[in-house]
Amino acid sequence: KDINTVASAPNDSLIASGSQDKSIKLWNPATLTPIATLSGHKRGVWKVAFSPIDKCLLSASADRTLRLWSLQDYSCIRTFQGHTTSVLCARFVNKGMQLLSGAADGVLKLWTIRTGECENSFDDCHSDRVWCIAAPRSTWEGSDQSVVITGSSDGSLKCWVDSTAAVEEQALKDTEEKYLMEQSLNNDLRSKKYDKVSCSLV
């Protein structure tokens, strides 16, 4: 059936294709002769992508799952479940340590490969199908943060900035401030400075 997606390995040693017939095929790039067939998806495959750091292949399917395949024995290493509609696109992000996937309902999900867990779900990013995800090597408007751009049937492109470091830094600051306040209150209580304690609590 229809071939929906094609990808080339980082070292150009393999070509992968995903089809509406539910299969993924690996090909010799020089001769386009088949090397292996990866089977397991229950509906058509919309996206395939090679890992930039490991010998594995990512696939996204209309069966609402993503799968990670070994390029050594061609087995399915991990299945990512959580989307409620067809997964139309996916990409390795964060230096190949995480995945970002887009679905037919406009939802984006961020996954950690090692655990297989969904770290975040962006439910209101697009109002229609998310068809494509790109990760430019350049930064956004002079920022040193990595960015991702998504394209949708709603006619919009959206740029996403990785705010993980900023969020973690703010959480650390909040924890430190809370600890310092608690310590100050305890010191005031031990010193019987009740007026100061009341003021601090207010």
Side-chain angles (χ1 to χ4, degrees):
K1 294 187 178 181
D2 299 7
I3 295 177
N4 297 325
T5 177
V6 176
S8 176
N11 59 0
D12 296 329
S13 61
L14 287 172
I15 295 291
S17 62
S19 172
Q20 204 62 29
D21 65 10
K22 311 173 190 176
S23 73
I24 300 157
K25 290 188 180 293
L26 299 176
W27 310 83
N28 181 312
T31 61
L32 286 185
T33 53
I35 296 174
T37 299
L38 312 180
S39 301
H41 281 298
K42 297 177 181 178
R43 297 185 67 182
V45 179
W46 283 106
K47 182 67 177 180
V48 290
F50 287 92
S51 168
I53 59 172
D54 295 316
K55 292 183 178 180
C56 59
L57 179 76
L58 173 67
S59 60
S61 170
D63 65 10
R64 301 177 294 182
T65 69
L66 298 108
R67 288 176 181 256
L68 201 62
W69 306 85
S70 167
L71 294 178
Q72 295 179 323
D73 60 9
Y74 309 122
S75 64
C76 180
I77 303 170
R78 189 178 296 279
T79 300
F80 301 85
Q81 296 178 309
H83 279 288
T84 58
T85 59
S86 299
V87 187
L88 304 176
C89 56
R91 185 179 181 91
F92 288 93
V93 294
N94 193 17
K95 299 179 180 178
M97 303 301 291
Q98 292 183 309
L99 307 173
L100 188 66
S101 57
D105 55 3
V107 172
L108 283 172
K109 288 186 181 290
L110 179 67
W111 312 81
T112 295
I113 294 176
R114 184 176 57 82
T115 62
E117 294 182 0
C118 178
E119 299 296 338
N120 209 338
S121 183
F122 307 96
D123 299 334
D124 56 353
C125 61
H126 285 288
S127 60
D128 208 339
R129 296 176 180 85
V130 181
W131 282 110
C132 46
I133 302 172
R137 294 181 182 178
S138 59
T139 54
W140 182 252
E141 293 184 348
S143 170
D144 59 356
Q145 295 170 303
S146 58
V147 299
V148 171
I149 297 172
T150 56
S152 166
S153 292
D154 63 14
S156 70
L157 289 172
K158 293 196 176 182
C159 182
W160 303 82
V161 179
D162 184 358
S163 60
T164 304
V167 170
E168 290 177 350
E169 183 179 353
Q170 185 59 49
L172 181 60
K173 287 181 179 179
D174 292 344
T175 301
E176 290 176 349
E177 288 177 3
K178 181 180 179 182
Y179 174 79
L180 290 173
M181 173 142 326
E182 289 177 350
Q183 187 64 43
S184 177
L185 290 174
N186 289 333
N187 291 340
D188 290 340
L189 285 170
R190 281 195 296 269
S191 301
K192 297 184 179 181
K193 296 179 181 178
Y194 300 119
D195 290 341
K196 191 172 183 180
V197 171
S198 299
C199 182
S200 298
L201 287 173
V202 171

